[in-house]
Amino acid sequence: GDIAIFMKLLRVPKGHRSYITTDVLLALDGTDKPEELLYVITSPPQYGQIEYVSYPGIPIVSFSQMDVARQIVSYVHKAKAVVCEDTFR
């Protein structure tokens, strides 16, 4: 079926971490199976990294919508300078 993805801006001060929550990233496909909705990072962020909270310092290349709902995925700002914007796909 169709998948709807809702995204909002996540503000992260330099040197800090912010959780990627369902308020920031939400995918819906109408099946009530968020563990089966998988995000695959094909272009990682340039100034930080996406990682599981329980494995700090280790970048990840995929995570599920259930991981987002459980608040176990975060973006870590690793640049030494203030950066206006960072993106990943």
Side-chain angles (χ1 to χ4, degrees):
D2 293 331
I3 297 175
I5 299 176
F6 303 93
M7 297 175 287
K8 290 185 183 174
L9 183 65
L10 177 65
R11 295 193 184 275
V12 184
K14 78 174 182 175
H16 286 82
R17 132 187 344 263
S18 286
Y19 293 99
I20 299 174
T21 66
T22 55
D23 290 339
V24 174
L25 182 61
L26 178 63
L28 301 170
D29 70 351
T31 66
D32 288 336
K33 293 184 180 180
E35 67 278 3
E36 294 181 6
L37 290 171
L38 187 66
Y39 296 97
V40 177
I41 300 170
T42 57
S43 178
Q46 183 177 356
Y47 302 107
Q49 65 189 29
I50 308 299
E51 59 187 39
Y52 284 116
V53 175
S54 52
Y55 297 99
I58 301 172
I60 58 175
V61 295
S62 66
F63 57 93
S64 72
Q65 183 62 51
M66 181 60 87
D67 294 337
V68 173
R70 291 172 47 210
Q71 297 184 5
I72 62 172
V73 177
S74 65
Y75 171 86
V76 179
H77 188 310
K78 297 184 75 96
K80 295 183 182 191
V82 174
V83 178
C84 293
E85 184 176 297
D86 198 2
T87 61
F88 69 95
R89 295 184 191 273

